[in-house]
Amino acid sequence: MLKEKGFEKASGAVRLAAFDMDGTLLMPNHQLGEKTLSSLRQLAERGVTLTFATGRHYLEMKQILANLDIPGYLITGNGTRVHGLEGTLLHASNLSEEVFSELVGRDWKTSASLHVFRDEGWVTEFDNPDLLLAHQFSGFAYQLKKLAQVPKSGNSKVCFCASHETLLALLPRLEQHFSDRLDVCFSAHDCLDVMPKGSNKGSALALLTSDLGISLEDCMAFGDAMNDREMLQSVGRGLVMGNALPLLKQHVAHLPVIGHCKDQAVSHFLQHWLNSPNLSYSPEY
């Protein structure tokens, strides 16, 4: 195999592996491929702790892991919730009541739909069945409710959904209005997530690894969007998907890039790491 820049650390001890879902583990049809499932199970058999870090809701991820019979810690809502293997809530963060009221009560002069994550589920007043296509394999769905009726406390994140161009126009308005009172990032081209200040996958993984007595240097992580940036930068081995958002590739240009999610590139990398760790890695494109 040819030696690729950035893959020199592909071998070595790894105690925990963290995976984004959409655009990383999941193929474009939002399904988990058989090769990927096999590689995840092999990792678990080797004693590597599996962690799934996603913008998706805990209730959805809990059901997915139960259906796949894969053990794993869950970082959900882009780091606003961390759950243990048995479903115990380990860490949680919520938007302040003041910030949430401003998010749902203000006219942002946008066509983007607004969605709220709470422990009991996904709430929105915008009925758009197209948004459910990404959740077909789990059956997870939104609950229709007037946002003015949603309690002001207990809201982990708010998500704006629209075209990338529409969200790019909205982003500076949010940043100017809220200044440093919250964190905003793209979890996908068409999803702009708003979280409590300091809540992200990286900070959540730091809390989890501290609980488990694992150094972040002994972790690997895979991701494709800006909501993966802090996680990828914090671990000993951060791997960027070939299909990653261009902005992410710019921010983590020092990290190696593997193949595309449509080709189950995470599995391709893991098979190399599991079976040929002493050889240089060459991505499959």
Side-chain angles (χ1 to χ4, degrees), residues 162-173 175 186 189 192 247:
S163 70
H164 192 61
E165 292 72 22
T166 298
L167 296 177
L168 282 175
L170 173 62
L171 177 58
R173 296 177 210 151
E175 292 177 331
F186 280 97
H189 280 285
L192 185 64
L247 188 58

mmCIF file of all heavy atoms in Angstrom, residues 162-173 175 186 189 192 247:
data_model
loop_
_atom_site.group_PDB
_atom_site.id
_atom_site.type_symbol
_atom_site.label_atom_id
_atom_site.label_comp_id
_atom_site.label_asym_id
_atom_site.label_seq_id
_atom_site.Cartn_x
_atom_site.Cartn_y
_atom_site.Cartn_z
ATOM 1 N N ALA A 162 -33.399 23.801 6.246
ATOM 2 C CA ALA A 162 -33.694 24.492 4.989
ATOM 3 C C ALA A 162 -32.535 24.232 4.037
ATOM 4 O O ALA A 162 -31.602 23.493 4.354
ATOM 5 C CB ALA A 162 -33.870 25.990 5.226
ATOM 6 N N SER A 163 -32.568 24.865 2.876
ATOM 7 C CA SER A 163 -31.435 24.759 1.955
ATOM 8 C C SER A 163 -30.206 25.385 2.595
ATOM 9 O O SER A 163 -30.306 26.236 3.495
ATOM 10 C CB SER A 163 -31.762 25.476 0.642
ATOM 11 O OG SER A 163 -31.806 26.882 0.841
ATOM 12 N N HIS A 164 -29.033 24.974 2.123
ATOM 13 C CA HIS A 164 -27.800 25.487 2.693
ATOM 14 C C HIS A 164 -27.717 27.009 2.535
ATOM 15 O O HIS A 164 -27.276 27.716 3.456
ATOM 16 C CB HIS A 164 -26.598 24.816 2.015
ATOM 17 C CG HIS A 164 -25.300 25.059 2.723
ATOM 18 N ND1 HIS A 164 -25.069 24.648 4.017
ATOM 19 C CD2 HIS A 164 -24.159 25.674 2.303
ATOM 20 C CE1 HIS A 164 -23.849 24.990 4.376
ATOM 21 N NE2 HIS A 164 -23.271 25.617 3.363
ATOM 22 N N GLU A 165 -28.159 27.518 1.403
ATOM 23 C CA GLU A 165 -28.105 28.950 1.155
ATOM 24 C C GLU A 165 -28.989 29.714 2.142
ATOM 25 O O GLU A 165 -28.611 30.775 2.663
ATOM 26 C CB GLU A 165 -28.547 29.254 -0.281
ATOM 27 C CG GLU A 165 -27.593 28.765 -1.354
ATOM 28 C CD GLU A 165 -27.594 27.253 -1.514
ATOM 29 O OE1 GLU A 165 -28.599 26.600 -1.118
ATOM 30 O OE2 GLU A 165 -26.589 26.705 -2.017
ATOM 31 N N THR A 166 -30.181 29.169 2.417
ATOM 32 C CA THR A 166 -31.085 29.802 3.382
ATOM 33 C C THR A 166 -30.466 29.823 4.773
ATOM 34 O O THR A 166 -30.539 30.826 5.495
ATOM 35 C CB THR A 166 -32.425 29.049 3.418
ATOM 36 O OG1 THR A 166 -33.041 29.135 2.131
ATOM 37 C CG2 THR A 166 -33.362 29.629 4.474
ATOM 38 N N LEU A 167 -29.825 28.729 5.155
ATOM 39 C CA LEU A 167 -29.214 28.650 6.484
ATOM 40 C C LEU A 167 -27.981 29.541 6.591
ATOM 41 O O LEU A 167 -27.709 30.097 7.657
ATOM 42 C CB LEU A 167 -28.848 27.196 6.801
ATOM 43 C CG LEU A 167 -30.040 26.239 6.889
ATOM 44 C CD1 LEU A 167 -29.562 24.811 7.132
ATOM 45 C CD2 LEU A 167 -31.011 26.662 7.986
ATOM 46 N N LEU A 168 -27.228 29.668 5.496
ATOM 47 C CA LEU A 168 -26.074 30.572 5.508
ATOM 48 C C LEU A 168 -26.519 32.014 5.752
ATOM 49 O O LEU A 168 -25.802 32.795 6.390
ATOM 50 C CB LEU A 168 -25.316 30.476 4.185
ATOM 51 C CG LEU A 168 -24.406 29.267 4.000
ATOM 52 C CD1 LEU A 168 -23.832 29.248 2.587
ATOM 53 C CD2 LEU A 168 -23.276 29.267 5.031
ATOM 54 N N ALA A 169 -27.695 32.383 5.231
ATOM 55 C CA ALA A 169 -28.224 33.729 5.458
ATOM 56 C C ALA A 169 -28.700 33.899 6.892
ATOM 57 O O ALA A 169 -28.607 34.996 7.468
ATOM 58 C CB ALA A 169 -29.365 34.005 4.482
ATOM 59 N N LEU A 170 -29.201 32.836 7.491
ATOM 60 C CA LEU A 170 -29.703 32.887 8.869
ATOM 61 C C LEU A 170 -28.577 32.919 9.897
ATOM 62 O O LEU A 170 -28.692 33.581 10.941
ATOM 63 C CB LEU A 170 -30.595 31.665 9.121
ATOM 64 C CG LEU A 170 -31.092 31.437 10.548
ATOM 65 C CD1 LEU A 170 -31.959 32.605 11.020
ATOM 66 C CD2 LEU A 170 -31.867 30.123 10.642
ATOM 67 N N LEU A 171 -27.492 32.220 9.623
ATOM 68 C CA LEU A 171 -26.408 32.055 10.601
ATOM 69 C C LEU A 171 -25.914 33.369 11.189
ATOM 70 O O LEU A 171 -25.840 33.499 12.430
ATOM 71 C CB LEU A 171 -25.263 31.268 9.952
ATOM 72 C CG LEU A 171 -24.008 31.062 10.802
ATOM 73 C CD1 LEU A 171 -24.352 30.331 12.098
ATOM 74 C CD2 LEU A 171 -22.958 30.295 10.020
ATOM 75 N N PRO A 172 -25.544 34.382 10.398
ATOM 76 C CA PRO A 172 -25.049 35.619 11.014
ATOM 77 C C PRO A 172 -26.088 36.340 11.862
ATOM 78 O O PRO A 172 -25.731 37.027 12.830
ATOM 79 C CB PRO A 172 -24.624 36.462 9.802
ATOM 80 C CG PRO A 172 -25.319 35.868 8.629
ATOM 81 C CD PRO A 172 -25.473 34.416 8.929
ATOM 82 N N ARG A 173 -27.361 36.168 11.544
ATOM 83 C CA ARG A 173 -28.406 36.787 12.373
ATOM 84 C C ARG A 173 -28.412 36.167 13.763
ATOM 85 O O ARG A 173 -28.532 36.863 14.783
ATOM 86 C CB ARG A 173 -29.773 36.622 11.714
ATOM 87 C CG ARG A 173 -29.923 37.324 10.381
ATOM 88 C CD ARG A 173 -31.289 37.047 9.770
ATOM 89 N NE ARG A 173 -31.231 37.077 8.315
ATOM 90 C CZ ARG A 173 -32.023 36.386 7.531
ATOM 91 N NH1 ARG A 173 -32.959 35.605 8.052
ATOM 92 N NH2 ARG A 173 -31.916 36.471 6.212
ATOM 93 N N GLU A 175 -25.884 34.559 15.198
ATOM 94 C CA GLU A 175 -24.624 34.875 15.879
ATOM 95 C C GLU A 175 -24.617 36.308 16.400
ATOM 96 O O GLU A 175 -24.139 36.574 17.507
ATOM 97 C CB GLU A 175 -23.452 34.646 14.929
ATOM 98 C CG GLU A 175 -23.237 33.179 14.590
ATOM 99 C CD GLU A 175 -22.115 32.962 13.598
ATOM 100 O OE1 GLU A 175 -21.856 33.860 12.757
ATOM 101 O OE2 GLU A 175 -21.494 31.887 13.644
ATOM 102 N N PHE A 186 -23.249 23.658 11.656
ATOM 103 C CA PHE A 186 -23.917 22.859 10.637
ATOM 104 C C PHE A 186 -23.691 21.379 10.940
ATOM 105 O O PHE A 186 -22.552 20.918 10.981
ATOM 106 C CB PHE A 186 -23.360 23.179 9.244
ATOM 107 C CG PHE A 186 -23.922 24.427 8.640
ATOM 108 C CD1 PHE A 186 -23.241 25.632 8.729
ATOM 109 C CD2 PHE A 186 -25.149 24.400 7.986
ATOM 110 C CE1 PHE A 186 -23.763 26.790 8.168
ATOM 111 C CE2 PHE A 186 -25.688 25.552 7.433
ATOM 112 C CZ PHE A 186 -24.987 26.757 7.524
ATOM 113 N N HIS A 189 -25.620 19.850 5.410
ATOM 114 C CA HIS A 189 -25.838 20.992 4.519
ATOM 115 C C HIS A 189 -27.156 21.690 4.832
ATOM 116 O O HIS A 189 -27.246 22.920 4.753
ATOM 117 C CB HIS A 189 -25.843 20.525 3.058
ATOM 118 C CG HIS A 189 -24.484 20.325 2.484
ATOM 119 N ND1 HIS A 189 -23.668 21.366 2.112
ATOM 120 C CD2 HIS A 189 -23.778 19.191 2.216
ATOM 121 C CE1 HIS A 189 -22.528 20.900 1.633
ATOM 122 N NE2 HIS A 189 -22.574 19.585 1.685
ATOM 123 N N LEU A 192 -28.960 23.338 10.586
ATOM 124 C CA LEU A 192 -28.183 24.245 11.418
ATOM 125 C C LEU A 192 -28.639 24.059 12.858
ATOM 126 O O LEU A 192 -29.785 24.351 13.197
ATOM 127 C CB LEU A 192 -28.397 25.690 10.966
ATOM 128 C CG LEU A 192 -27.558 26.762 11.659
ATOM 129 C CD1 LEU A 192 -26.072 26.565 11.374
ATOM 130 C CD2 LEU A 192 -28.005 28.155 11.218
ATOM 131 N N LEU A 247 -16.091 22.807 4.530
ATOM 132 C CA LEU A 247 -15.688 23.659 5.645
ATOM 133 C C LEU A 247 -14.998 22.862 6.740
ATOM 134 O O LEU A 247 -14.024 23.333 7.345
ATOM 135 C CB LEU A 247 -16.914 24.387 6.214
ATOM 136 C CG LEU A 247 -16.632 25.460 7.278
ATOM 137 C CD1 LEU A 247 -15.708 26.539 6.725
ATOM 138 C CD2 LEU A 247 -17.939 26.075 7.760
#
